[in-house]
Amino acid sequence: MSIILLLLFSLCAFSQAIGATTNDDANRLQTYIVNVQPPEGIGFNSIEDRDAYYRSFLPPTTDALDEPRMMYSYAHVASGFAARLTAAEVCSVEGCAGSDILAGLDAAVEDGVDVLSLSLGGAPMEYFGDPIAVGAFAAIEKGIFVSCAAGNSGPVASSLSNDAPWLLTVGASSMDRTIRSTVKLGDGTEVDGETLYQPKSFLPNQLPLYVPPPGGALCADGSLDSEAKGKVVLCERGGGIGRIDKGQAVKNAGGAAMILMNDVENAYSVLSDAHVLPASHISYAGGQKIKAYVNSTSKATAAILFKGTIFRRLAPIVASFSSRGPSAVSPGILKPDIIGPGVNVLAAWPVPVIGNSTSGRPNFNIISGTSMSTPHLTGVVALLKSAHPDWSPAAIKSAIMTTSYIDTWQGLPIMDERLRPASLFAIGAGHVNPLKANDPGLVYDIQPNDYVSFLCGLNYTDSQVSVITHKNTSCADYKKIEEGQLNYPSFTVHFGRSSSSEVTFNRTVTNVGAANSSYAVGVEVPKGVSVVVEPDSLHFSEVNEKASFSVTFSRNGTVKGLAHASGQLRWVSDKHELRSPISVVFRS
């Protein structure tokens, strides 16, 4: 029997989940997908037989509960089931010890587990104290891949979590699909926005446009007066008030529709929500156009035109909420590692059972967050794991990172929420490219002991390192390495007052492509530095053959006023191109 356990958590529940272990933590219900491979030679005569087999993996205590725990039984695209379980019950399914889900994370990687996907986020913390990093280390030691959400605290710098180098840290980007609703002003000006709720009964007629005074601009519950009745109300995003809640406040005040404008921070990053009334979520720039129009007339009006789903817009764009690097714990490792689709994702939506009824609740929803992009990457990992069962977690991560792309489908650089070229601290290596990741040619591999050398290089004490490795570990037994010397598929260089003006990093690649192949180096040199790669070509005669090279970075003249520069290193053969991002940080 083989079980793949995908742990699905909500980002907003993070503070509760990683707190001190309590009975409440152990008894909290979470949604899990358990893939079960039936023993060879056993078939199912009926749906009932299949379901009974799946239920055999659930703890006996769940049978006596009023609320059914089995949510869905898979038979076609997967073999397994979805269920609502507590941490203790998961441990019962997986045979792990302990009742806390995070303490049990490392124990949940017993034989048969291939991939762990965690949509948890939170404040950065040292690796021996962020339980995800501790549990995930046990996973990678057993060959288990762990992908984690970078978090939804962007676009603030150094806001990402789950930044341990043995984790795949995933940011969120948009797709080329928009569910468009356009605001048409009384003077004919049109401002495009988005909404999932597009009722056919709402006519595109011009209605009075109302901009609340400062006290009601955020559209908090009860903040709108009778002036909103029958009008299109302009609400400003933020204030700790949910986007849909703002629409509910407008509806409660008798408003006919809502225009939700972004704040400066979210800029052009808009979302398709299931609003409770006709609405359009628009950019900050669009909101300024509307305010200028209102100030130009005494009888401002607006209509909302629903245009349905439209494809081929500029994409990918990094979502404003996607947490950014650099890592606060280990700035010598570029994070996030990768970005993937995480905006307006149509996803299955588990419906809580109330009594014996789930009527009136949707089975699907459109959701945005790094908790949406992370499962996309986890799915890619599962495919790569299936195609290359002998690849280590680090090799799979390398394949994903070095084959990613950094341009939109229109040929422009990937943009951020301001529609400016996104930095490496927003996109990491770039946007995932599953097809190319399956055949990268070369990979940067890392063994668990290499991470121990990395941890010792961070000047962690033996006891702190032992917490992560789950065994007594003495750094005296390992060669300490600086962060940049870890065999990572990216390069991060720091030049400061006390640092040398020259630094050399060593890397080793493994040939997973053709037996006889050669690669030539190419470098897009970051501003303010010079780069020398030795040797400048690599030659392989066998599969799994290794080759090493060094990269020397030197400060090149003055960098006055320059805080950060970026570039890339490429290894190119007749069939493959591996790209590693280079991030350079200057401190005057």
Side-chain angles (χ1 to χ4, degrees), residues 380-510:
V380 172
V381 170
L383 292 173
L384 295 177
K385 186 81 172 177
S386 176
H388 307 283
D390 58 327
W391 284 7
S392 70
I396 293 176
K397 180 198 287 191
S398 172
I400 289 173
M401 291 175 63
T402 60
T403 60
S404 62
Y405 59 90
I406 56 175
D407 294 325
T408 67
W409 66 268
Q410 297 94 336
L412 300 171
I414 292 176
M415 306 290 184
D416 63 14
E417 72 286 343
R418 301 166 298 173
L419 297 187
R420 299 176 184 176
S423 74
L424 296 182
F425 298 133
I427 66 172
H431 192 283
V432 62
N433 188 331
L435 289 178
K436 286 192 174 182
N438 190 49
D439 183 22
L442 305 176
V443 295
Y444 295 80
D445 207 356
I446 303 175
Q447 300 304 315
N449 280 348
D450 298 330
Y451 294 120
V452 179
S453 296
F454 160 84
L455 292 169
C456 293
L458 293 178
N459 292 322
Y460 283 0
T461 65
D462 289 350
S463 60
Q464 290 169 341
V465 175
S466 297
V467 169
I468 299 171
T469 61
H470 305 270
K471 59 186 177 184
N472 291 328
T473 303
S474 172
C475 284
D477 298 330
Y478 294 84
K479 179 183 178 181
K480 292 184 179 181
I481 62 172
E482 296 179 357
E483 298 165 273
Q485 298 294 356
L486 190 64
N487 200 41
Y488 218 71
S490 60
F491 298 87
T492 299
V493 188
H494 288 259
F495 289 119
R497 293 177 180 175
S498 60
S499 65
S500 170
S501 60
E502 181 178 291
V503 60
T504 298
F505 294 152
N506 299 301
R507 293 289 190 271
T508 299
V509 289
T510 304

Side-chain angles (χ1 to χ4, degrees), residues 96-259:
C96 60
S99 61
D100 178 72
I101 185 59
L102 297 175
L105 179 60
D106 55 342
V109 299
E110 297 300 327
D111 291 346
V113 176
D114 291 324
V115 182
L116 293 172
S117 178
L118 293 95
S119 292
L120 286 168
M125 61 178 65
E126 297 291 345
Y127 301 140
F128 55 83
D130 181 352
I132 302 302
V134 174
F137 194 90
I140 61 103
E141 283 190 307
K142 293 180 179 292
I144 312 305
F145 195 100
V146 185
S147 59
C148 290
N152 294 340
S153 299
V156 179
S158 295
S159 57
L160 61 79
S161 56
N162 298 321
D163 51 356
W166 50 90
L167 301 172
L168 181 71
T169 309
V170 185
S173 61
S174 67
M175 296 176 277
D176 68 345
R177 178 190 67 199
T178 176
I179 307 175
R180 183 166 295 171
S181 59
T182 299
V183 178
K184 186 172 183 178
L185 302 176
D187 64 357
T189 300
E190 292 191 356
V191 178
D192 289 332
E194 296 196 41
T195 180
L196 180 61
Y197 177 58
Q198 303 199 354
K200 294 181 180 179
S201 59
F202 186 78
L203 300 178
N205 298 331
Q206 290 288 322
L207 296 172
L209 176 58
Y210 175 55
V211 179
L218 292 173
C219 295
D221 186 29
S223 67
L224 299 172
D225 54 30
S226 59
E227 286 291 315
K229 188 173 183 179
K231 298 178 181 178
V232 179
V233 181
L234 179 67
C235 297
E236 297 182 6
R237 188 173 179 181
I241 306 166
R243 299 181 301 276
I244 295 176
D245 293 336
K246 292 175 184 287
Q248 187 64 57
V250 173
K251 187 176 182 179
N252 292 344
M258 175 182 69
I259 301 171

